[in-house]
Amino acid sequence: MISQKTRYALRALLYLVERGKGAPVQIGSIAETQQVPRKYLELIMLELKKAGIVTSVRGPAGGYRLARRPEDISFGEVIRTLEGPIALVPCASVNFYARCGDCHDEETCAIRKVMMIVRDTSAQILEGTSLAAAAGFEEAGETANGAVSATS
């Protein structure tokens, strides 16, 4: 499961896609509309800024905006920035590999093999889903697989 911090980050980023349209959005507006504690959101936005996902603009008309086009920022990038590896076990991670201490034979380990399939499938979906696509799901009332949600 992803943390509340990552869910807040994704909500804030989707708000920037939907409302920002390239213009800076004040953090107070993001916090209020997305129901995220402002102080916590400030820390999250700083992490996203360090990662090059958002930029900040100072001054009365300042705020945060995406550093790149929403089509170029994937859910996978955001999750890795805030959570670390997508893999459920360290031996299945591509970017954060570590051998499991209790593994008898990594080459034949069924757990590792299954977790690598899970990792690959999850990464494919998360890397293939941009902020722009996710914002489109919300606007269209669709789920990630294209089905119309019950609220439409």
Side-chain angles (χ1 to χ4, degrees):
M1 293 193 324
I2 62 172
S3 67
Q4 184 66 46
K5 175 181 175 181
T6 300
R7 286 195 302 274
Y8 284 160
L10 288 167
R11 285 175 27 200
L13 292 168
L14 288 168
Y15 185 75
L16 292 179
V17 172
E18 296 165 3
R19 301 292 186 263
K21 306 295 183 201
V25 179
Q26 294 184 344
I27 197 157
S29 173
I30 301 168
E32 182 180 332
T33 60
Q34 300 307 300
Q35 299 177 344
V36 179
R38 183 184 172 126
K39 291 290 184 190
Y40 194 38
L41 183 60
E42 288 172 357
L43 296 173
I44 293 168
M45 297 305 277
L46 284 175
E47 279 189 66
L48 294 173
K49 183 179 175 183
K50 285 181 194 173
I53 296 172
V54 298
T55 60
S56 62
V57 177
R58 293 179 162 230
Y64 285 93
R65 64 177 163 217
L66 297 177
R68 303 186 307 274
R69 297 175 337 128
E71 294 83 5
D72 298 331
I73 302 170
S74 72
F75 265 51
E77 178 183 2
V78 175
I79 291 170
R80 280 191 183 96
T81 296
L82 298 170
E83 301 279 341
I86 290 174
L88 298 175
V89 292
C91 66
S93 180
V94 172
N95 299 320
F96 302 92
Y97 171 83
R99 184 173 173 84
C100 294
D102 61 347
C103 188
H104 301 291
D105 182 7
E106 194 173 78
E107 291 300 315
T108 61
C109 180
I111 296 169
R112 180 174 188 253
K113 288 180 181 187
V114 171
M115 291 301 126
M116 288 173 73
I117 294 168
V118 171
R119 177 213 58 211
D120 290 346
T121 304
S122 297
Q124 180 182 12
I125 293 167
L126 294 171
E127 292 302 331
T129 305
S130 69
L131 292 178
F137 297 153
E138 274 189 3
E139 291 171 8
E142 294 180 359
T143 61
N145 67 6
V148 177
S149 71
T151 58
S152 296

